[in-house]
Amino acid sequence: MRTIAFVTQKGGAGKSTLASSVAVAARHAGERVFIIDLDPLQTLVKWSKARGAADIAVEHVPPTKLSKALAALAAKGVTLAIIDAPGQEGEHLAAAVRAADLCVIPARPNAFDLWASEITRLRVKEKGKDYAFLLNQCPPAQQSARVELGAKALQAMGGLLAPLVSSRVDYQEAARLGWGVSEYNPDGVAAAEMRELWSSIKRRLKKPKSGDATKASSAKTAKAAKKAA
Ligand SMILES: Nc1ncnc2c1ncn2[C@@H]1O[C@H](COP(=O)(O)OP(=O)(O)O)[C@@H](O)[C@H]1O
Ligand SMILES: [Mg+2]
């Protein structure tokens, strides 16, 4: 089982919106998906009630019970756990980061979100976790200078997931109905964005962790040294 967490200290960046639509895209791509809603507002628990289907289970879990809950999901054969965290510093965010194989940090292309992303990145780095940024709610004409600056800033801070996610009514309508955008309007641009985003996340999850790479290379070095001796 792989675990991804949508985290940033900034409310409104799109964590819950993207977590729900990525969950649906991943489900359609064959994953067994479970959403853990860490947010006391329980946004995705409400989304699930509106959805009224059992294909993607959603449960509110307090941070103290997160690791136990994840172990139980892995034992049950869930292949992808998605954590939606609240938009503030504290034990919820810390627990989400600790549990994640990959932290996805969404930001809108504005200075306040970008500053918040930087702080979140520090928290994630402190815990030695992998992370990638995501630019959300970009104006549909993506060539705007503001979007370009945002994309460059996030790339410089350590990697930006494709695609740039546009601001579209589909995201809001799908959320209201308990759907993902790929269910609300399967042929729409937003649906294509979420399919691409899931592919990007999946590729990113396959990358060996830096610790693994170091272990592998030091094992190689040790072997070579033994041979030379
Ligand atoms: N790509 C998008 N296009 C249009 N509206 C969006 C998009 N992403 C998020 N929103 C809207 O922005 C608001 C905040 O999103 P939300 O997912 O609740 O953020 P967070 O969980 O980070 O606080 C919601 O009203 C949501 O519908
Ligand atoms: Mg939210």
Side-chain angles (χ1 to χ4, degrees):
M1 184 180 85
R2 308 314 304 267
T3 302
I4 59 174
F6 285 81
V7 289
T8 171
Q9 269 101 325
K10 195 86 172 67
K15 294 177 291 298
S16 305
T17 304
L18 297 166
S20 54
S21 266
V22 165
V24 171
R27 174 81 195 94
H28 289 168
E31 299 290 331
R32 292 188 62 192
V33 184
F34 197 105
I35 295 177
I36 293 198
D37 188 348
L38 267 189
D39 193 340
L41 292 176
Q42 303 200 21
T43 309
L44 292 188
V45 169
K46 288 171 190 139
W47 172 83
S48 171
K49 283 190 180 137
R51 183 174 184 81
D55 59 339
I56 300 173
V58 182
E59 204 173 296
H60 176 63
V61 173
T64 47
K65 301 211 168 126
L66 182 59
S67 55
K68 220 172 172 186
L70 286 169
L73 294 181
K76 266 207 288 195
V78 168
T79 60
L80 178 69
I82 298 182
I83 301 174
D84 184 29
Q88 75 233 13
E89 180 98 54
E91 53 171 337
H92 296 81
L93 183 94
V97 171
R98 247 192 330 266
D101 295 306
L102 173 68
C103 294
V104 180
I105 308 174
R108 291 163 291 191
N110 65 56
F112 294 174
D113 273 33
L114 295 173
W115 293 336
S117 306
E118 211 164 340
I119 301 171
T120 306
R121 179 186 76 127
L122 287 176
R123 296 289 167 271
V124 175
K125 274 192 87 174
E126 276 164 14
K127 295 204 158 53
K129 291 295 178 158
D130 193 18
Y131 61 91
F133 295 101
L134 180 62
L135 209 51
N136 184 30
Q137 299 192 47
C138 301
Q142 294 193 338
Q143 304 81 334
S144 97
R146 195 159 54 85
V147 172
E148 223 170 90
L149 279 176
K152 273 194 186 142
L154 295 176
Q155 237 142 16
M157 279 200 282
L160 181 62
L161 287 168
L164 302 182
V165 178
S166 57
S167 178
R168 290 184 187 270
V169 174
D170 280 11
Y171 287 101
Q172 301 180 359
E173 283 302 295
R176 184 174 65 81
L177 297 164
W179 292 350
V181 285
S182 49
E183 295 166 320
Y184 177 73
N185 180 7
D187 301 322
V189 174
E193 285 175 350
M194 288 302 104
R195 284 191 287 265
E196 188 184 346
L197 178 58
W198 167 239
S199 301
S200 298
I201 291 174
K202 199 171 167 186
R203 265 199 308 277
R204 181 83 192 205
L205 282 169
K206 278 192 190 141
K207 263 180 50 172
K209 291 178 199 154
S210 50
D212 294 349
T214 316
K215 264 186 238 153
S217 77
S218 54
K220 242 185 190 172
T221 316
K223 217 172 168 186
K226 210 171 164 191
K227 217 173 166 187

